[in-house]
């Protein structure tokens, strides 16, 4: 659920190579989340083939709204990265962002979401303890899990960077 510059930064810090923001772009287009997309009765005209409802979607107006939303979101993300002391978004890592756990306790994202070191380690039972415990609980409770592990490279902590708390 990416919708802001900070959510982009947070997702990149957790190791994402690419980000997507479908819901946020739908909202910038004028979606009111009427939950009628599948019925061909979208009241805003975005998700319909009904010509009477399509009049609600003015491409000349909506094009500018979507363009400005995207431009401002990316600009905000790059400003946050600059404030943190980085010239490139790829340099941000999970040690740079703090997450409030309780009113008097914060952790870095690296502490809260430890990186998986080796592909397949959760399947082999050798993953980081907190992740392995969650993985095993899902397996034991019949909750579907991925069929292969993922690899996340850990970057070194930039001591001079500001930390963001959310």
């Amino acid at each position: 659920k990416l919708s802001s510059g900070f959510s982009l930064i947070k997702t990149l810090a957790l190791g994402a190579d690419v980000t997507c923001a479908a819901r946020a772009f739908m909202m910038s287009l004028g979606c009111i989340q009427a939950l009628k997309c599948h019925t061909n009765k979208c009241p805003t005209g975005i998700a319909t083939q009904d010509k009477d409802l399509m009049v609600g979607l003015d491409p000349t107006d909506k094009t500018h709204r979507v363009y400005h939303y995207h431009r401002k979101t990316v600009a905000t993300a790059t400003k946050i990265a600059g404030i943190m002391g980085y010239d490139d978004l790829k340099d941000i890592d999970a040690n740079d962002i703090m997450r409030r756990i309780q009113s008097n306790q914060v952790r870095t994202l690296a502490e809260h979401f430890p990186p998986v070191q080796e592909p397949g380690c959760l399947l082999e039972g050798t993953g980081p303890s907190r992740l392995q415990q969650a993985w095993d609980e899902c397996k034991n409770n019949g909750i579907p899990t991925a069929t292969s592990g993922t690899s996340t490279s850990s970057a070194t902590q930039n001591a001079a960077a500001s930390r963001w708390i959310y």
Side-chain angles (χ1 to χ4, degrees):
K1 296 182 182 180
L2 302 176
S3 60
S4 67
F6 177 72
S7 61
L8 287 172
I9 293 290
K10 181 177 67 168
T11 304
L12 294 170
L14 287 170
D17 295 322
V18 177
T19 62
C20 299
R23 178 178 294 165
F25 278 100
M26 290 294 286
M27 301 296 278
S28 73
L29 191 58
C31 175
I32 59 170
Q33 295 186 326
L35 304 177
K36 298 194 181 257
C37 307
H38 64 291
T39 67
N40 204 31
K41 303 278 184 207
C42 172
T44 60
I46 296 170
T48 186
Q49 297 297 313
D50 185 328
K51 294 204 183 293
D52 293 333
L53 294 173
M54 288 172 65
V55 297
L57 181 63
D58 179 8
T60 52
D61 174 48
K62 305 298 180 171
T63 301
H64 296 292
R65 290 177 60 175
V66 172
Y67 167 77
H68 289 295
Y69 167 75
H70 183 259
R71 197 180 94 217
K72 296 285 187 177
T73 302
V74 172
T76 302
T78 56
K79 283 180 185 176
I80 291 171
I83 290 167
M84 295 171 76
Y86 293 115
D87 293 326
D88 196 324
L89 294 174
K90 71 177 174 16
D91 296 330
I92 297 167
D93 74 15
N95 289 301
D96 295 322
I97 300 177
M98 305 290 284
R99 181 174 186 171
R100 185 167 304 284
I101 306 303
Q102 295 176 357
S103 63
N104 62 348
Q105 181 185 11
V106 294
R107 289 185 188 158
T108 66
L109 289 183
E111 294 168 328
H112 196 69
F113 303 108
V116 176
Q117 300 300 324
E118 295 295 324
C121 67
L122 294 174
L123 295 171
E124 296 165 5
T126 60
S129 61
R130 290 183 67 230
L131 290 177
Q132 191 66 53
Q133 180 183 0
W135 180 269
D136 293 341
E137 283 179 26
C138 288
K139 276 186 7 186
N140 295 338
N141 293 324
I143 299 170
T145 56
T147 57
S148 64
T150 59
S151 175
T152 304
S153 62
S154 59
T156 57
Q157 179 176 355
N158 181 348
S162 300
R163 291 188 172 188
W164 288 75
I165 299 176
Y166 73 100

